[in-house]
Amino acid sequence: MMEKNIVTIEFEALPENQSFARSVAAAYVGAADPTVEELTEIKTAVSEAVSNAIIHGYERKGQGRISMEMKFVDRDKVFIRITDQGCGIDDIARAREPMYSTGSDMEMSGMGFTVMESFVDKVLVESQLGVGTSVTLIKYLDTYYDL
Ligand SMILES: Nc1ncnc2c1ncn2[C@@H]1O[C@H](COP(=O)(O)OP(=O)(O)OP(=O)(O)O)[C@@H](O)[C@H]1O
Ligand SMILES: [Mg+2]
C-alpha cells in the first residue's frame, strides 16, 4: 500500500465550516483529475460527515475542533477521515440505519450516513461515548493521482 500526499486540516465546529471543508476536499481531490460526478459525490459525503460532527458531535454549541485528514492510497483511492471529540455514538449500527435520527428538528431526515454510503465506496465509523467519532470515507477513483 502506497500512501501519498497526506494533508490534515483542523477547524472549529462552526456551521460555516461545513462548506469550507467541502471546498477543501474538492480542491484536494482535484489533483487526481476526478470526474465532475466523483467530485460532487465526495463533496456531498464530506458535507454530511462534517455536519454530523457540528450538529450531533458538538450539539451545535460551536465549541470543539474537527479534523479532516486526507490521503491518496495506491494512486486511485482517496481516504478522507473526519474526526470530532464530541459526545460520541452509543450504537453505531443503529445510527447508520436509514431514517434513524436523534436530531430534534424536523429537517433532519436521518439520511446522512445513507447518503455517505451511496456516494463513496466505503464508510468506516469509529466512535466512543464521551470520547468522539471518526468517520472515514473511501472513494475509488476512475483516474489516477500522479499518473
Ligand atoms: N459525529 C457524530 N457524533 C455524534 N452522533 C452522531 C455523529 N454522526 C452521527 N451521529 C448520530 O447518528 C444519527 C444518524 O446520522 P445521519 O447523518 O444519518 O442522520 P441525521 O444527521 O440525524 O439527519 P440528516 O443527516 O439526514 O440531516 C444522528 O442523528 C446522530 O444521533
Ligand atoms: Mg446527518
Side-chain angles (χ1 to χ4, degrees):
M1 186 175 81
M2 190 184 62
E3 298 190 345
K4 291 202 74 169
N5 194 18
I6 302 168
V7 174
T8 304
I9 64 162
E10 206 187 87
F11 50 89
E12 287 187 62
L14 299 170
E16 55 268 41
N17 285 333
Q18 187 180 339
S19 68
F20 172 70
R22 187 184 156 92
S23 302
V24 170
Y28 178 79
V29 178
D33 199 19
T35 64
V36 173
E37 200 183 1
E38 286 171 332
L39 209 50
T40 304
E41 290 165 345
I42 289 164
K43 281 159 70 177
T44 305
V46 165
S47 267
E48 291 296 335
V50 172
S51 98
N52 280 351
I54 295 169
I55 294 170
H56 304 296
Y58 293 116
E59 298 159 327
R60 295 186 208 266
K61 290 178 188 143
Q63 242 136 59
R65 301 185 72 78
I66 298 168
S67 70
M68 184 166 79
E69 261 179 88
M70 300 165 284
K71 66 184 178 192
F72 285 95
V73 175
D74 299 334
R75 294 160 78 230
D76 63 344
K77 297 176 197 68
V78 65
F79 281 57
I80 302 181
R81 177 181 206 165
I82 291 117
T83 303
D84 67 64
Q85 278 86 47
C87 65
I89 302 173
D90 78 304
D91 185 340
I92 297 172
R94 192 179 52 174
R96 293 177 72 141
E97 279 170 17
M99 290 161 68
Y100 175 83
S101 177
T102 56
S104 47
D105 86 61
M106 298 304 281
E107 280 166 43
M108 214 132 269
S109 56
M111 292 302 285
F113 278 123
T114 307
V115 166
M116 290 181 237
E117 277 161 13
S118 65
F119 283 174
V120 301
D121 294 283
K122 269 185 199 149
V123 179
L124 310 175
V125 184
E126 294 162 89
S127 190
Q128 219 183 310
L129 275 184
V131 177
T133 301
S134 195
V135 174
T136 307
L137 307 167
I138 306 169
K139 178 90 171 160
Y140 303 157
L141 301 172
D142 271 343
T143 52
Y144 286 114
Y145 173 66
D146 191 18
L147 206 59

